[in-house]
Amino acid sequence: CCGASAWGGRVDKISPRLIRAAVWRCSGYLALWIALIGVGRADLPVGIAAASGATWLSIRLLPPGDGRLNLAGLPRLVARFAWQALVAGVEVARCAFSPALPLNPGFVVHPTRLPRGPARNAFASISSLLPGTVAVRDDERGLLYHCLDTRKGVLSSLAADEAEMLCVLPRSERP
């Protein structure tokens, strides 16, 4: 659905990897369009155009990397995230319904090993989905998190989460 003519602008080199990434991305965007809008005669051409535009923009903003995700490590990362989300959600609900529980809100700096870029942003986003922590700044010292309770071992938990994420990242993006 996205040929070379859809690129517009300047493309330094159209490689097989770029074409493969574009086909996968365009297919995903078109599948999302169909799931949300449907396959009506009037809707499909607009969906193809939207998927092509989204693909072009995504390739421009986030070109395909050199490596592939390690899918073998992905189930462990997902399982860890799901378990932590459940435990943290129960803890936050317990604190909300029992105001007598002491909280110690504050900020902690996690000195991440991930270099600045997509992998670090993904880690900050995933870890911010867990109740009780949210990444608020990224600087040379690391990621700054706001936590509901800084005494709960937030830094050790973030270090373990980062280690799991490193197992999933392509070797080219690991520190």
Side-chain angles (χ1 to χ4, degrees):
C1 86
C2 303
S5 63
W7 299 114
R10 178 176 56 81
V11 174
D12 295 331
K13 183 179 177 185
I14 298 177
S15 67
R17 182 177 38 151
L18 180 72
I19 293 171
R20 191 170 38 251
V23 167
W24 277 106
R25 291 180 191 191
C26 192
S27 300
Y29 292 134
L30 187 58
L32 178 63
W33 178 274
I34 290 170
L36 293 174
I37 306 299
V39 289
R41 286 180 60 185
D43 298 329
L44 199 53
V46 176
I48 291 171
S52 298
T55 300
W56 176 82
L57 188 61
S58 77
I59 293 290
R60 287 295 204 185
L61 295 176
L62 187 61
D66 292 333
R68 299 174 65 100
L69 292 178
N70 176 11
L71 298 180
L74 194 57
R76 283 180 44 161
L77 179 66
V78 169
R80 178 175 176 79
F81 174 77
W83 175 252
Q84 282 186 313
L86 177 69
V87 169
V90 168
E91 182 71 21
V92 168
R94 209 168 61 94
C95 291
F97 291 115
S98 178
L101 288 175
L103 290 178
N104 188 26
F107 295 92
V108 296
V109 176
H110 171 62
T112 180
R113 296 182 292 166
L114 294 167
R116 282 187 157 167
R120 191 167 176 163
N121 291 344
F123 175 70
S125 297
I126 290 171
S127 59
S128 292
L129 291 174
L130 296 172
T133 60
V134 64
V136 294
R137 187 175 67 213
D138 178 5
D139 60 24
E140 62 281 344
R141 296 180 306 149
L143 292 167
L144 178 70
Y145 284 86
H146 179 269
C147 309
L148 286 180
D149 197 341
T150 58
R151 299 169 298 188
K152 296 279 185 182
V154 175
L155 289 176
S156 61
S157 179
L158 287 170
D161 293 344
E162 183 179 23
E164 288 292 334
M165 179 141 181
L166 285 170
C167 292
V168 175
L169 292 176
R171 292 197 189 282
S172 62
E173 294 189 35
R174 295 180 193 173

